[in-house]
Amino acid sequence: MPKEVPTGISKTNKSTAAKAPKDKPLLHSIKGGKAAPAKTPAGRNAPAKSALGKADAAAPDDAPVIGLNLEPAKLSPAMAAYFKKCQDKLGFVPNVLVAYAFDMAKLETFVAMYNDLMLGDSGLSKLEREMIAVAVSSQNRCYYCLTAHGAAVRQYSGNPLLGEHLVMNYRVARLNKRQRAMLDFAVKLTASPWTVEEGDRERLRRVGFSDRDIWDISAVAGFFNMSNRVASASDMRPNTVYHGQAR
Amino acid sequence: MPKEVPTGISKTNKSTAAKAPKDKPLLHSIKGGKAAPAKTPAGRNAPAKSALGKADAAAPDDAPVIGLNLEPAKLSPAMAAYFKKCQDKLGFVPNVLVAYAFDMAKLETFVAMYNDLMLGDSGLSKLEREMIAVAVSSQNRCYYCLTAHGAAVRQYSGNPLLGEHLVMNYRVARLNKRQRAMLDFAVKLTASPWTVEEGDRERLRRVGFSDRDIWDISAVAGFFNMSNRVASASDMRPNTVYHGQAR
Amino acid sequence: MPKEVPTGISKTNKSTAAKAPKDKPLLHSIKGGKAAPAKTPAGRNAPAKSALGKADAAAPDDAPVIGLNLEPAKLSPAMAAYFKKCQDKLGFVPNVLVAYAFDMAKLETFVAMYNDLMLGDSGLSKLEREMIAVAVSSQNRCYYCLTAHGAAVRQYSGNPLLGEHLVMNYRVARLNKRQRAMLDFAVKLTASPWTVEEGDRERLRRVGFSDRDIWDISAVAGFFNMSNRVASASDMRPNTVYHGQAR
Amino acid sequence: MPKEVPTGISKTNKSTAAKAPKDKPLLHSIKGGKAAPAKTPAGRNAPAKSALGKADAAAPDDAPVIGLNLEPAKLSPAMAAYFKKCQDKLGFVPNVLVAYAFDMAKLETFVAMYNDLMLGDSGLSKLEREMIAVAVSSQNRCYYCLTAHGAAVRQYSGNPLLGEHLVMNYRVARLNKRQRAMLDFAVKLTASPWTVEEGDRERLRRVGFSDRDIWDISAVAGFFNMSNRVASASDMRPNTVYHGQAR
Amino acid sequence: MPKEVPTGISKTNKSTAAKAPKDKPLLHSIKGGKAAPAKTPAGRNAPAKSALGKADAAAPDDAPVIGLNLEPAKLSPAMAAYFKKCQDKLGFVPNVLVAYAFDMAKLETFVAMYNDLMLGDSGLSKLEREMIAVAVSSQNRCYYCLTAHGAAVRQYSGNPLLGEHLVMNYRVARLNKRQRAMLDFAVKLTASPWTVEEGDRERLRRVGFSDRDIWDISAVAGFFNMSNRVASASDMRPNTVYHGQAR
Amino acid sequence: MPKEVPTGISKTNKSTAAKAPKDKPLLHSIKGGKAAPAKTPAGRNAPAKSALGKADAAAPDDAPVIGLNLEPAKLSPAMAAYFKKCQDKLGFVPNVLVAYAFDMAKLETFVAMYNDLMLGDSGLSKLEREMIAVAVSSQNRCYYCLTAHGAAVRQYSGNPLLGEHLVMNYRVARLNKRQRAMLDFAVKLTASPWTVEEGDRERLRRVGFSDRDIWDISAVAGFFNMSNRVASASDMRPNTVYHGQAR
């Protein structure tokens, strides 16, 4: 008889290793109008310092927020109010906002486009838009967006498994035909946009999507193809709080 | 001795076939607050009708503006003024704006982000930002963006060959080290964003780019990864006028 | 000021949707020597029935254990004892064992090879072997293995972030040189085994791996290239309990 | 209201930057039996010298003809007559001929095969053969062939848009079923020849191609898969005159 | 008239160059419980010494058995008997067994799994399992497995061409629908396991495979995805005798 | 102890299954100026008829010569003499010549280019040119060319292993630096010609290749990228005799 069970860890096993530090201080600093990087080791040198040591000890693996050394700007009144609203309603300011906060024009256009696409009127439900976000981000293997929007899918759907499925391989999710066609289109548009043609649009129409819906699917898929790249290019790190949400 | 020269066309050959129609009527209709699709055959049916016939006759190959049937909205005052400005300074309204004009919120956020990224302050010259646009669009084989931004590279650089090089294969362009590193980063970020790491950022720093410049390279590359997909997904067609510009 | 925060969900939001059913009944049935599929809808028809409905209601998204209709065999004494040991120490029998339980010879050779590779003597720590398992499974986008071995990485390391990093994109994990070289080798061996050459082995030797360690890295990477494919080909579903472990 | 229009260039803008030099001297030198490289900086060192400078000044970006230092041979009588014919009818000798002119046997076999395939009897029109040339060269991102044969498509079709479409992404061209099937076959044969099977030939037969036509499609596609590689491997540069033809 | 025939070698041509040495000594050493590497130059240094020289002289191109320096262990009684049986029935011990013989636990679990999968009860014939082995190994370009299992296909089928077809491109083999579907599934599972879904399983069922057969196809394909990687990672070399078998 | 040895075939095993028919009749028919297809079932219907039956019986797997129904033309005097010379010196006419024999102009230009490239003066030995042919054909998985030129590598080198290595994965061949660089260049030029740049040419120069040699490497690699595609597109089958040559 085999001597050990698959993971070799007993049911009562309780890791005593230090957990990764929470990003709370980060968020407090934002309330005062200063983004996190000011308090953490300077951007590009940090990674070397926080490398996982010989003992595999937990490390502040997701600080700083980005791997670029950008001085936070003074928040505009609109953005200061928005950050406060995030803090009040979510309990934290999403790191992507912290990352963009070095320049108010860039932060404001990003927020405006994001909110219109993800939260504005659409024939797609908010969950469906988040599902696209995660399927696209999985194709692009984007750590930031998979974490933040995987949490959103878990929250909106009340189905933690759906979030896992979309993060790992959307083809294992048990979707209805509408949502499967929607994600097939978004992922094809991500992987090889030059091959998308009228036949692909027709497939969406056949499962009930309007031409306006097709635009919205495309625009959300496009947006995350942008965000995935900004996040990967800048080594953007998600707020640690996302990982535990809605599991 | 071979009887025919490579292209088999004499120097004095002059095609008498009808040229593709110019998009002037399109732009007039926009000034009146109505986007072009209203005057052309309804979106998705058009392609079949304009198929290249047996005689290879030229056809209105780039109408309508997009392959989705979206009713143009009434232009907001800001957008009406902006379209007028385009008409006055460029002689036409770029079709991407016509395409977005079914919804003022989407049009305005797109314009705001575009203008900040491509025309706002940056350590990158406007030409360099257009070079990124074209190299990214070539990787994604995006007809709309290659056409519109290929023309912009020709215009800004005063070097028509540079535009051709970037459209076809940026590796044949004879670039200085700074610009070659910039495009290598943008194209890698486009093709496999998940493989971009600190080493890639370091390569940019070594040729003189600041961390803010790296953000801008990433943001422009990201933006065109979005736009390429919106254009491909909607079968967006460029204004014909671009093809002849600055050659 | 934008009206909504990024996820549009208040801090106090609490989903009332039904959660996915736990796999407890599954495990009880195993104790009696019958694998789960006997109690769930017959293999290949199940997916259609459990499709995510219009209301996006949670569904038993990870049942049955596999998408093949295989009659469970009577457990051999050794395997019955092993399943009991799993139940006692882990609280459940991993679904991969349930899946293989249609044939005792196959179950026993799988268990023997697994336990030798993952739990036997090696210059690689158990955590390192699990890290390889997850990095390989991420390359192959294998839902089963990412879930089960992602949990193992979280448990062994005591660092939940490390598990997330390896699931999503191992390149964002902050690893020491030894572990980074180990995963680079394993992922290259996964993606394009025909390109692995002496230079790749030399890179491992340079960070301190012995030739025996190189065998072990290769064997573990190879094993998960097998398991990922068996799991994907049979639509194998992980025990739901893994998702919440060690977060 | 946005302050700037998309390209930031006024309608009356006229670049004052120096244009890339025309290749006229090149062609004159050929008439004397000496290929261009003799007059330009020696092959492989040239690129560094002509790098695009800080001021983005236009440079002789497409000289020398190739990046290999090959001494031109004395033209055989047949080839001298052929070059003269090119000069008389086209106004220039295509650079690919200049490139091959270091060895008369190679030049003559290339010319013979080219002329048989592209200009000989076939069920495919000359335009169709040029369309295949461009679609294949686009898949292979070959600067030389896209330029020379893109011009040929514009000339033969009298439809400048068709040339642009095929250069950038043949899927946006509005082709009849016959020509679309022809290009789909040629591009598949280019990208993954090992996957071409009887089913692919059947698709061509169904739109009316004979078995002989299928050979010709394959032979033309094959020929440009050869030429694209010779051109890319030798850094072959097209005559600048092509860029402006038939626009 | 051309002066030379395609290969430029006369029918009576008989190479006088030294042939590659046979691996007989290797196998003798195994009978004594010592694997070959002990008698050949130490693992990783060997390749440099045996490089194909200026004169293109034949070299001991497939020694040593692997590129890792692993001390052979004393064969367990079961394995000693198994190696003797190989020697008696085959005339040699397959090098994969020699390679694994540094550790009896690993050798025994490998042999157990191999024999169950390839030689145990199954709805697939032994030839069909070998066909999967070769098609998978061709996708992964694995020299060891293509050689050993290519020989097995030639032997089992009595059709040397079938072996060549599967080694080079299984799509050229003239298979019945059942076997073609089987190899299509195995190769898709090898190239992109994450895309295998219920539709793929249904295609197998439609040509007559049972769910148990689907498991076996998957398990064999999975096994060679493991073995291909262990072989490539360790530079495993096949016994030379395979090359001449059953041609 | 395991009951069966790996291949489950005894040393004395002798297949009694019918061997695939030799193509001798094919060649006789050619001598009379008629290519094989006239005697075999008409091109495109043949495959269905010769499918490998339930009993895995050997079938005439490599007839007809091509999958296109092309009437053989009367051989020109030069080609008739050439075919006779092939027959006299090789004992057969290579099927590629039979395939091209439907059109004398095409056959003659093919033969002229082939003989110049593969048998004419060059800094590359004939073996080296055949090595390129095989490495390129392996990348393109071309059955015809791997078979015919794999045999040529075995013959020219007198090293059967070298032929096998290049067919299966050229990276396992133990080559000197010159030949390894040559094949790396040829394979890169095959897989992604658009990425070949001056740095790649420099790598060849550093191991001693002249610029003329670089042209020849490129031209041979290019030629087989053409031939591979013509062969795959037409389902060209090699003469069976190649398989047994020089093993």
Side-chain angles (χ1 to χ4, degrees):
Chain A
M1 193 193 100
K3 281 179 308 210
E4 300 198 72
V5 294
T7 63
I9 291 181
S10 90
K11 181 168 53 174
T12 56
N13 173 73
K14 185 110 198 2
S15 168
T16 56
K19 289 297 188 301
K22 293 294 180 287
D23 59 351
K24 270 290 160 62
L26 213 79
L27 296 167
H28 278 287
S29 77
I30 294 160
K31 284 207 290 193
K34 291 289 185 199
K39 290 208 176 176
T40 59
R44 65 170 121 159
N45 299 318
K49 287 182 190 157
S50 64
L52 193 62
K54 266 188 183 160
D56 294 329
D61 282 0
D62 280 352
V65 169
I66 60 169
L68 296 174
N69 205 346
L70 300 175
E71 201 63 29
K74 180 164 166 33
L75 290 175
S76 65
M79 287 299 106
Y82 186 57
F83 274 41
K84 182 171 187 314
K85 188 170 175 178
C86 287
Q87 188 68 47
D88 292 347
K89 290 187 72 172
L90 302 176
F92 64 97
V93 177
N95 279 353
V96 66
L97 302 179
V98 176
Y100 271 92
F102 71 91
D103 182 290
M104 285 305 107
K106 294 185 193 310
L107 175 61
E108 289 179 354
T109 58
F110 175 83
V111 167
M113 186 177 282
Y114 181 93
N115 285 343
D116 173 66
L117 278 175
M118 299 302 284
L119 305 169
D121 284 341
S122 171
L124 309 179
S125 73
K126 290 177 186 172
L127 170 58
E128 287 173 335
R129 288 177 265 179
E130 293 289 349
M131 289 167 69
I132 294 169
V134 178
V136 165
S137 302
S138 178
Q139 180 65 29
N140 287 332
R141 302 183 186 279
C142 176
Y143 172 52
Y144 184 92
C145 299
L146 282 171
T147 300
H149 296 279
V153 166
R154 294 194 303 270
Q155 289 183 316
Y156 278 124
S157 69
N159 180 359
L161 287 187
L162 181 62
E164 298 293 335
H165 292 168
L166 298 187
V167 163
M168 295 176 184
N169 181 2
Y170 81 97
R171 295 168 195 85
V172 305
R174 285 165 181 165
L175 306 170
N176 57 31
K177 282 188 181 180
R178 167 186 165 91
Q179 292 177 342
R180 177 60 194 254
M182 176 185 83
L183 296 188
D184 282 344
F185 185 92
V187 169
K188 182 178 182 183
L189 186 61
T190 298
S192 55
W194 56 91
T195 65
V196 172
E197 296 191 69
E198 179 63 10
D200 300 291
R201 288 183 287 273
E202 271 303 320
R203 260 185 289 281
L204 291 180
R205 291 181 188 115
R206 274 202 296 274
V207 294
F209 287 108
S210 70
D211 276 28
R212 166 60 199 271
D213 295 339
I214 296 174
W215 178 279
D216 288 359
I217 294 170
S218 307
V220 172
F223 183 83
F224 283 93
N225 271 287
M226 174 176 72
S227 292
N228 290 171
R229 285 173 174 84
V230 172
S232 290
S234 65
D235 194 22
M236 197 181 290
R237 302 281 165 157
N239 308 65
T240 301
V241 66
Y242 285 123
H243 295 297
Q245 286 181 334
R247 295 216 181 256
Chain B
M1 192 193 104
K3 284 183 307 227
E4 300 199 71
V5 294
T7 65
I9 289 181
S10 90
K11 181 167 56 174
T12 57
N13 173 74
K14 183 113 197 359
S15 168
T16 57
K19 289 297 190 301
K22 292 295 182 289
D23 59 351
K24 269 293 161 57
L26 212 80
L27 296 166
H28 279 286
S29 77
I30 293 160
K31 285 207 291 193
K34 291 289 183 197
K39 290 208 178 173
T40 60
R44 64 170 124 158
N45 298 320
K49 287 182 192 158
S50 62
L52 192 63
K54 268 186 182 162
D56 294 329
D61 283 2
D62 279 351
V65 170
I66 60 169
L68 297 174
N69 205 345
L70 300 175
E71 201 62 29
K74 181 166 167 34
L75 290 174
S76 64
M79 287 299 105
Y82 186 57
F83 275 40
K84 182 172 188 314
K85 187 169 177 179
C86 289
Q87 189 67 50
D88 291 347
K89 291 187 70 172
L90 303 176
F92 63 96
V93 177
N95 279 352
V96 66
L97 302 180
V98 176
Y100 270 91
F102 70 92
D103 182 290
M104 285 304 108
K106 294 185 193 311
L107 176 61
E108 290 179 353
T109 57
F110 175 83
V111 167
M113 187 178 280
Y114 180 93
N115 285 345
D116 173 64
L117 276 176
M118 299 302 284
L119 305 170
D121 285 341
S122 173
L124 309 178
S125 72
K126 288 177 187 174
L127 170 59
E128 286 172 336
R129 287 176 269 179
E130 292 289 348
M131 290 168 70
I132 295 171
V134 178
V136 165
S137 301
S138 178
Q139 179 66 28
N140 288 331
R141 302 182 185 280
C142 176
Y143 173 53
Y144 184 93
C145 299
L146 283 171
T147 300
H149 296 279
V153 166
R154 294 194 303 270
Q155 290 183 313
Y156 279 125
S157 68
N159 180 359
L161 287 188
L162 181 62
E164 298 294 335
H165 292 167
L166 298 187
V167 163
M168 295 177 184
N169 181 1
Y170 81 96
R171 295 168 195 85
V172 306
R174 286 170 179 160
L175 306 171
N176 57 28
K177 282 189 181 178
R178 167 188 165 91
Q179 292 176 342
R180 176 61 193 253
M182 175 186 83
L183 295 188
D184 282 343
F185 185 92
V187 169
K188 181 178 183 182
L189 186 61
T190 298
S192 54
W194 57 90
T195 64
V196 173
E197 296 191 69
E198 180 63 11
D200 299 291
R201 289 183 287 273
E202 272 302 322
R203 261 185 290 281
L204 290 180
R205 291 180 187 116
R206 275 201 296 273
V207 293
F209 287 109
S210 70
D211 276 28
R212 167 61 198 270
D213 294 339
I214 297 174
W215 178 278
D216 287 358
I217 293 169
S218 307
V220 172
F223 183 83
F224 283 94
N225 271 288
M226 175 177 71
S227 292
N228 290 172
R229 285 173 175 85
V230 171
S232 290
S234 66
D235 195 22
M236 196 181 289
R237 302 282 164 157
N239 308 66
T240 301
V241 67
Y242 285 123
H243 295 298
Q245 287 183 332
R247 294 214 182 258
Chain C
M1 191 193 101
K3 280 181 309 217
E4 299 198 69
V5 293
T7 64
I9 290 182
S10 90
K11 181 168 53 173
T12 56
N13 173 74
K14 184 115 196 358
S15 168
T16 56
K19 288 298 189 298
K22 291 296 181 284
D23 59 348
K24 267 295 160 57
L26 213 80
L27 296 167
H28 277 288
S29 76
I30 293 161
K31 284 207 290 191
K34 291 289 183 196
K39 289 208 179 174
T40 60
R44 64 171 124 158
N45 299 318
K49 289 182 191 156
S50 63
L52 193 62
K54 268 186 180 159
D56 294 330
D61 283 1
D62 280 352
V65 169
I66 60 170
L68 297 174
N69 205 344
L70 300 174
E71 201 62 28
K74 179 163 167 36
L75 290 175
S76 65
M79 288 298 105
Y82 186 57
F83 275 41
K84 182 169 186 317
K85 188 168 175 180
C86 288
Q87 189 67 48
D88 291 346
K89 291 187 73 171
L90 303 175
F92 64 96
V93 176
N95 278 352
V96 66
L97 301 180
V98 176
Y100 270 92
F102 70 91
D103 182 292
M104 285 305 107
K106 294 185 192 313
L107 176 61
E108 289 179 355
T109 57
F110 175 83
V111 167
M113 187 178 281
Y114 181 93
N115 284 346
D116 173 65
L117 276 175
M118 299 302 284
L119 306 170
D121 285 341
S122 171
L124 309 179
S125 72
K126 289 176 186 173
L127 170 58
E128 287 172 335
R129 287 177 267 178
E130 292 289 348
M131 289 167 70
I132 294 170
V134 178
V136 166
S137 301
S138 178
Q139 181 65 29
N140 287 331
R141 302 184 186 280
C142 176
Y143 172 52
Y144 184 93
C145 299
L146 283 170
T147 300
H149 296 279
V153 166
R154 295 194 302 270
Q155 288 183 316
Y156 278 125
S157 69
N159 180 0
L161 287 187
L162 180 61
E164 298 294 333
H165 292 167
L166 298 187
V167 163
M168 295 177 183
N169 180 0
Y170 81 96
R171 296 168 194 84
V172 305
R174 286 169 180 162
L175 305 171
N176 56 32
K177 283 189 180 178
R178 166 188 165 91
Q179 293 177 340
R180 177 60 194 255
M182 176 185 82
L183 295 187
D184 282 344
F185 185 92
V187 169
K188 181 177 183 182
L189 186 61
T190 298
S192 55
W194 57 89
T195 64
V196 172
E197 296 192 68
E198 180 63 10
D200 300 290
R201 288 183 287 273
E202 271 303 320
R203 261 186 288 282
L204 290 180
R205 291 181 188 114
R206 274 202 296 273
V207 294
F209 286 108
S210 70
D211 276 27
R212 166 61 198 269
D213 294 339
I214 296 174
W215 178 278
D216 287 358
I217 293 169
S218 307
V220 172
F223 183 83
F224 283 93
N225 271 287
M226 175 177 71
S227 292
N228 290 171
R229 285 173 175 85
V230 171
S232 290
S234 64
D235 194 22
M236 197 180 289
R237 301 282 165 157
N239 308 66
T240 302
V241 65
Y242 285 123
H243 296 297
Q245 288 182 331
R247 294 209 183 262
Chain D
M1 192 194 101
K3 282 180 308 214
E4 299 197 72
V5 294
T7 64
I9 290 182
S10 92
K11 182 168 51 174
T12 56
N13 173 74
K14 186 111 194 2
S15 168
T16 55
K19 287 297 189 299
K22 291 296 181 284
D23 59 350
K24 269 291 161 60
L26 212 78
L27 296 168
H28 278 286
S29 76
I30 292 160
K31 284 206 292 191
K34 292 287 184 198
K39 289 207 177 175
T40 59
R44 67 171 121 157
N45 299 319
K49 287 181 191 158
S50 64
L52 192 62
K54 265 186 184 162
D56 294 330
D61 282 2
D62 279 352
V65 170
I66 60 168
L68 296 175
N69 207 344
L70 300 175
E71 201 62 29
K74 179 164 168 35
L75 290 175
S76 64
M79 288 298 106
Y82 186 57
F83 275 40
K84 182 172 187 316
K85 188 169 175 179
C86 288
Q87 189 68 48
D88 291 346
K89 292 188 70 171
L90 303 175
F92 62 98
V93 177
N95 279 352
V96 66
L97 302 180
V98 176
Y100 270 91
F102 70 92
D103 181 291
M104 285 304 108
K106 293 184 193 312
L107 176 61
E108 290 180 354
T109 58
F110 176 83
V111 167
M113 187 177 280
Y114 180 93
N115 284 345
D116 173 65
L117 277 175
M118 300 302 284
L119 305 169
D121 284 341
S122 172
L124 309 179
S125 72
K126 288 177 187 173
L127 169 58
E128 286 173 335
R129 287 177 267 179
E130 293 289 348
M131 289 167 71
I132 294 170
V134 178
V136 165
S137 301
S138 178
Q139 181 65 30
N140 287 332
R141 303 183 184 279
C142 175
Y143 172 54
Y144 184 92
C145 300
L146 283 170
T147 300
H149 297 279
V153 166
R154 294 194 304 269
Q155 289 183 315
Y156 279 124
S157 68
N159 180 359
L161 286 187
L162 181 61
E164 298 294 333
H165 292 167
L166 297 188
V167 163
M168 295 177 184
N169 181 1
Y170 80 97
R171 297 169 195 86
V172 305
R174 284 165 183 165
L175 306 171
N176 57 30
K177 281 190 182 180
R178 167 187 164 90
Q179 292 176 341
R180 177 59 193 255
M182 176 186 82
L183 296 188
D184 282 344
F185 185 91
V187 169
K188 182 179 182 181
L189 186 61
T190 298
S192 55
W194 57 91
T195 65
V196 172
E197 295 192 69
E198 179 63 10
D200 299 292
R201 288 183 288 272
E202 272 303 321
R203 261 185 289 281
L204 291 179
R205 293 183 187 114
R206 274 201 297 273
V207 295
F209 287 109
S210 69
D211 276 28
R212 166 63 197 269
D213 295 339
I214 297 175
W215 178 278
D216 287 358
I217 294 169
S218 307
V220 173
F223 182 83
F224 283 93
N225 271 288
M226 175 176 72
S227 292
N228 291 171
R229 284 172 175 85
V230 171
S232 290
S234 66
D235 195 21
M236 197 181 288
R237 302 282 165 158
N239 308 66
T240 301
V241 66
Y242 285 123
H243 296 298
Q245 288 182 332
R247 294 212 182 258
Chain E
M1 194 194 99
K3 282 180 308 219
E4 300 198 69
V5 294
T7 64
I9 289 182
S10 90
K11 183 167 53 172
T12 56
N13 174 72
K14 185 107 197 359
S15 169
T16 56
K19 290 293 188 302
K22 293 292 180 288
D23 58 351
K24 269 291 159 62
L26 213 80
L27 296 167
H28 277 287
S29 76
I30 293 160
K31 285 207 289 191
K34 291 288 184 198
K39 289 206 177 175
T40 60
R44 65 170 122 159
N45 298 319
K49 288 181 193 158
S50 63
L52 193 62
K54 265 184 182 162
D56 294 329
D61 282 2
D62 280 353
V65 171
I66 60 170
L68 298 174
N69 206 344
L70 299 175
E71 200 62 30
K74 181 166 168 31
L75 291 175
S76 65
M79 288 298 105
Y82 186 57
F83 274 41
K84 181 169 187 317
K85 187 169 176 179
C86 288
Q87 189 67 48
D88 291 347
K89 291 187 71 172
L90 303 175
F92 63 95
V93 177
N95 278 352
V96 65
L97 302 180
V98 176
Y100 270 92
F102 71 90
D103 181 292
M104 285 304 108
K106 294 184 193 312
L107 176 61
E108 290 179 354
T109 57
F110 175 83
V111 167
M113 187 177 280
Y114 180 93
N115 285 345
D116 173 65
L117 277 175
M118 299 302 283
L119 304 170
D121 285 341
S122 172
L124 310 178
S125 72
K126 289 177 187 174
L127 170 58
E128 287 173 336
R129 287 176 266 179
E130 292 289 348
M131 290 168 70
I132 295 170
V134 178
V136 165
S137 301
S138 178
Q139 180 65 30
N140 287 331
R141 302 182 187 278
C142 175
Y143 172 52
Y144 184 93
C145 299
L146 282 170
T147 299
H149 296 279
V153 166
R154 294 194 303 269
Q155 289 184 315
Y156 278 124
S157 69
N159 180 359
L161 288 187
L162 180 61
E164 298 295 333
H165 292 167
L166 299 187
V167 163
M168 295 176 183
N169 181 0
Y170 81 97
R171 295 169 195 85
V172 305
R174 285 167 181 167
L175 306 171
N176 57 31
K177 282 190 181 178
R178 167 189 164 90
Q179 292 177 341
R180 177 61 194 254
M182 176 186 83
L183 295 188
D184 281 345
F185 185 92
V187 169
K188 181 178 182 183
L189 186 61
T190 298
S192 56
W194 56 90
T195 65
V196 172
E197 295 192 70
E198 179 62 11
D200 299 291
R201 288 182 289 272
E202 271 303 321
R203 261 186 288 281
L204 291 180
R205 290 181 188 116
R206 275 201 296 273
V207 293
F209 287 109
S210 70
D211 276 30
R212 166 60 198 271
D213 294 339
I214 297 174
W215 178 278
D216 287 357
I217 294 169
S218 308
V220 172
F223 183 83
F224 282 93
N225 271 287
M226 174 176 71
S227 292
N228 290 171
R229 285 173 175 84
V230 171
S232 290
S234 65
D235 194 21
M236 196 180 290
R237 302 282 164 157
N239 308 65
T240 301
V241 66
Y242 285 123
H243 295 298
Q245 288 182 331
R247 294 211 182 260
Chain F
M1 190 193 104
K3 281 181 308 216
E4 300 198 70
V5 295
T7 64
I9 290 181
S10 91
K11 182 168 51 174
T12 57
N13 173 74
K14 185 111 197 2
S15 169
T16 57
K19 289 297 190 299
K22 292 296 181 287
D23 60 349
K24 268 292 158 61
L26 211 81
L27 295 167
H28 277 286
S29 76
I30 294 159
K31 284 206 291 193
K34 291 288 185 200
K39 290 209 179 172
T40 59
R44 65 171 121 160
N45 299 319
K49 288 183 193 157
S50 63
L52 192 62
K54 264 185 183 163
D56 295 328
D61 283 1
D62 279 352
V65 170
I66 60 168
L68 297 174
N69 206 344
L70 300 174
E71 202 62 30
K74 181 165 166 36
L75 290 175
S76 64
M79 287 298 106
Y82 187 57
F83 275 41
K84 181 168 187 316
K85 186 168 177 178
C86 288
Q87 189 66 50
D88 290 347
K89 292 186 70 170
L90 302 175
F92 63 98
V93 177
N95 279 352
V96 66
L97 302 180
V98 177
Y100 270 92
F102 70 93
D103 182 291
M104 284 306 107
K106 294 185 193 310
L107 177 62
E108 290 179 354
T109 56
F110 176 83
V111 166
M113 187 178 280
Y114 180 93
N115 284 344
D116 174 65
L117 277 175
M118 299 302 284
L119 305 170
D121 284 342
S122 171
L124 308 180
S125 72
K126 289 177 187 173
L127 170 58
E128 286 173 336
R129 287 176 267 178
E130 292 289 348
M131 289 168 70
I132 294 170
V134 178
V136 165
S137 301
S138 178
Q139 180 65 28
N140 287 332
R141 301 183 187 280
C142 176
Y143 173 53
Y144 184 92
C145 299
L146 283 170
T147 299
H149 296 279
V153 166
R154 294 194 303 270
Q155 289 184 313
Y156 279 124
S157 69
N159 180 358
L161 287 187
L162 181 61
E164 298 294 332
H165 292 167
L166 298 187
V167 163
M168 295 177 183
N169 181 0
Y170 81 97
R171 295 169 194 85
V172 305
R174 285 167 181 164
L175 306 170
N176 58 31
K177 282 189 182 178
R178 166 187 166 90
Q179 293 177 341
R180 177 60 193 254
M182 175 185 83
L183 296 187
D184 281 344
F185 185 91
V187 169
K188 182 178 183 182
L189 186 61
T190 298
S192 56
W194 57 89
T195 65
V196 172
E197 296 192 68
E198 179 63 10
D200 299 291
R201 288 183 288 273
E202 272 302 322
R203 259 185 290 282
L204 291 180
R205 291 181 187 115
R206 273 201 297 273
V207 293
F209 287 108
S210 70
D211 276 27
R212 166 62 198 270
D213 294 338
I214 296 174
W215 177 278
D216 287 358
I217 294 169
S218 307
V220 172
F223 183 83
F224 283 92
N225 271 287
M226 175 176 70
S227 292
N228 291 171
R229 284 172 176 85
V230 171
S232 289
S234 65
D235 195 21
M236 195 180 292
R237 301 281 164 159
N239 308 65
T240 301
V241 66
Y242 285 123
H243 296 297
Q245 287 182 331
R247 293 213 182 259

